[in-house]
Amino acid sequence: MTVDTSEEASRYGSRAWLEAQYARSTGDPWGLDWRASQQYRYAAMIAALERAVPSRPSGALIVDVGCATGGFTARLTPLVEAQGGSVVGVDIAEPAIARARQRFPALEFDCLDLTRCAEKFAGSADLVTCLEVLYYLPREERPTAIRALHKLLRPGGTLLVSCMIARPPYLSQEELHDLVASELRVIDEGVLHLKPLVLTEKLLMRLGVSRAGTARPIYAGSAAAGRIEWVQSLSKRMLGALARSHAYVLARLD
């Protein structure tokens, strides 16, 4: 695949821009599958879901919007497989979907934008997850995106949205809460305090010490989780709000 050098490819968050990022990597351009902070974030999101939604109906459907190469989609599968449910990963970038299908051939993935996704799965999802996606959209389009995510849910369904906390185009915890609360009833929310670790990982990637798509995972098992928990606790204690790295919001369609 050749890198698109057009103006569209330079617009942050566009389909062409995302596909250009994948063209520069053989795996995941953001290191989601090996960065300790991101693996911890995935585990924290699953734990938040299990607390807020401890049980799911038989045949439940989960739609993972912005699934990238499918790492979090695969983590969602155990939440519903015992009840005969299913999980679908959706992304606008064709290379992401191709790599997700290759990595997890037993799972379903579909290349759709949010509008087409909302039309295809309208009113059918018991759980919708949308991690680290909203900041790719222009600010004026984000309310429309939340309405599209709302449209996916069946009554009683749950939405999980997360976002990195930083200067624009990223959101604060308060901005994410207000955006989701404009459409759905918020039932839980939280913040991770991993900014020092996140910045260190990004610096290593920039220096080429650890390259996305080639680096080995550095997060595995309870011992690693305990170490990251210690890093988070220390960062929060020493830096307070400055250590905030990611916010998440869980909301329900009553």
Side-chain angles (χ1 to χ4, degrees), residues 19-36:
E19 293 187 347
Q21 307 312 303
Y22 281 102
R24 298 185 179 98
S25 168
T26 58
D28 163 53
W30 295 274
L32 299 177
D33 290 324
W34 64 266
R35 289 170 56 197

Side-chain angles (χ1 to χ4, degrees), residues 55-84:
S55 62
R56 280 149 291 279
S58 177
L61 171 65
I62 300 178
V63 179
D64 183 24
V65 177
C67 66
T69 60
F72 187 68
T73 315
R75 284 180 177 246
L76 291 166
T77 302
L79 297 181
V80 293
E81 61 183 354
Q83 296 81 27

